[in-house]
Structure formats: structure tokens, C-alpha cells
Amino acid sequence: MIKLVVTDLDGTLLRSDHKFNDEDMVSLCRLGEMGIIRAIATGRSPFSASTVLPDDFPIDYLLFSSGAGIMRWSDKSIIHANQLSQEVVQYVIALLVEMHADFMVHEPIPLNHCFHYHSSGKLNSDFERRISLYKDYSQPLITGVPFPGPASQVLAVLPNDIERFNAISKKLNGVQVIRATSPLDGKSIWLEIFPEGVSKSGGIQWLCSYIGGIHPHNLLALGNDYNDIDMLNLAGEAFVVSNAPSELKDKFQVVPVNDEAGFSHAVKRVLKKG
């Protein structure tokens, strides 16, 4: 019996044109009528999510910033939030500067669309594009002065180089490191740094406890990228859309691409089993 359905947003529920399939909207409404809890788990901040999700979007919860925070969608109240301490933020900044990485330090929730950035000086078009997109909410990081407070996350934008990702990850201690593919150029690696325990699966488990009566085997999860793996491993029914990397498609059930209502196919397949 499925009691909770959680889907990733970009590249999964959201189409390539940043709109939604009518069939998927019908499926979300049907799930609500059946009393099944609906949630989106995304790497986006609440501000970023609001640019594509209208206020009346048919979900119950938004797990944002890869599980760092959870919003009850009906009244947009934040019911759960995590942050990196000032001490940890300073340690991460020093390490990333030493590793010559391009990165952003994001303000605490709910203003975590605002960030301070540091450039290594090397060409990094994905990094520059993200700064341009958030030009009204970003400012250069002054590396010689201690960061003024806690942060929701630190995001390093790397070229498509898994060895560099692994090298930096191995040096980071006492934090949660999550790999994601850039939604901007579709190839750069985003190395996301959160407080220990923060992940999509961690957010889902917190939500299950908050709601009560929901076990991971009651969960249907749908994703498309590396930052969804922990969520998919948690779920009793785990799916990826066909536009996911091959290594994910080899491990989880596969449905059509995000542009062809893959979400609805996953829901229908599981409801048929019931």
C-alpha cells in the first residue's frame, strides 16, 4: 500500500520547457483524492521552486535544497530546517579556496537563494551563468574576513570531472556531500555541502515520522539524477525516468522521459499492483 509519493522536480516531473504534463497533473490530483501524500524533493530553494510551482500546485509538501528544509505546501510554512554552523562554514571555505574551487555559500533558510561567491579565476561558464541568474541575490565572498554566520549549504561548481569531485569530497569531514548534475548546462558537477545527515532520504524519513504511520516500504519515489539515489534506495517502489544516467537505469525501474509523463507511468504501475 503506497501512502507517500515523492518525485524529483527538474528533469523528472518538470518538462524540458519548464511546464508540466496535463497527465501528471491529473495523477497528482488523483493521488490526493485517494488520501496519498504527495511531495516534491528538489535541490531548488523555496524561492527557485516558486518560479515554476504555482501556489495551488497539487502537492502536500516540498522538500527543498536536497532535504535541508521542508515546507508544508498548503500554507507555505517551513516545518523543518538545517544549517551549517559558522565554524563549519569557515572550515569548508578554507578548504575549497585551497583546492582552487569555484563555489557559493548560501544564506540560511528561508533566504537560501541568496549567496556569496568565490571564483578561482579559471574559466567556468556554468558557475558564471548561475551568478548571472541570481545577480540580484549574490555578492562576492571576502575570503580574508570570517564568514559572518551560519549557512544553509555550500555549492562548488566543477567541470565534468568525477576525479576532482572525489578528491575534494575525500578532504571534507563532518559534513554531507551530495553530487548533482548542473540543471543549467546538463554536464557540470555540482558538489553540494550540507550538515551531516541532510539528504533527500533524510528529509523523507523526517517527514514520515512527522506525519506518522508511514514506512519506507509505503513510499514511491521517482528521480533522474545522482542526488536522487539515496531517496530511491529508501523507497519500496523506486523509479527513474528514461533520461536518467545509465547507471541509475540499470539499478531502478524505468519509465518514460520527463517530457512524456514518466511520473504518471510510475504511479499507474504501482497502483495496478495494489
Side-chain angles (χ1 to χ4, degrees), residues 102-117:
D102 301 315
F103 63 92
M104 292 106 167
V105 182
H106 286 253
E107 295 287 343
I109 295 168
L111 298 178
N112 54 323
H113 56 287
C114 303
F115 59 82
H116 300 252
Y117 60 87

Side-chain angles (χ1 to χ4, degrees), residues 58-116:
I59 56 172
D60 302 291
Y61 297 95
L62 176 71
L63 286 75
F64 58 85
S65 301
S66 299
I70 300 176
M71 175 183 289
R72 184 170 54 230
W73 195 248
S74 60
D75 60 4
K76 308 301 182 291
S77 61
I78 293 173
I79 58 175
H80 182 58
N82 294 272
Q83 64 182 21
L84 295 162
S85 70
Q86 183 180 20
E87 181 181 13
V88 171
V89 171
Q90 203 57 46
Y91 150 71
V92 171
I93 288 173
L95 178 60
L96 292 178
V97 169
E98 180 186 338
M99 297 290 288
H100 304 289
D102 301 315
F103 63 92
M104 292 106 167
V105 182
H106 286 253
E107 295 287 343
I109 295 168
L111 298 178
N112 54 323
H113 56 287
C114 303
F115 59 82
H116 300 252

Side-chain angles (χ1 to χ4, degrees), residues 97-146:
V97 169
E98 180 186 338
M99 297 290 288
H100 304 289
D102 301 315
F103 63 92
M104 292 106 167
V105 182
H106 286 253
E107 295 287 343
I109 295 168
L111 298 178
N112 54 323
H113 56 287
C114 303
F115 59 82
H116 300 252
Y117 60 87
H118 172 77
S119 172
S120 65
K122 296 180 180 179
L123 179 65
N124 189 333
S125 57
D126 195 62
F127 177 75
E128 296 297 335
R129 182 177 178 185
R130 192 166 191 263
I131 292 173
S132 178
L133 285 172
Y134 287 89
K135 61 183 178 181
D136 293 333
Y137 307 100
S138 62
Q139 58 184 302
L141 177 71
I142 304 174
T143 54
V145 178

Side-chain angles (χ1 to χ4, degrees), residues 158-170 178-181 187-191 226 247:
L158 310 176
N160 189 12
D161 184 349
I162 189 61
E163 291 184 3
R164 181 156 167 73
F165 173 89
N166 290 335
I168 295 175
S169 298
K170 287 178 182 178
I178 297 176
R179 174 188 175 185
T181 303
K187 59 183 180 180
S188 295
I189 296 175
W190 285 10
L191 189 156
Y226 298 100
E247 56 195 282

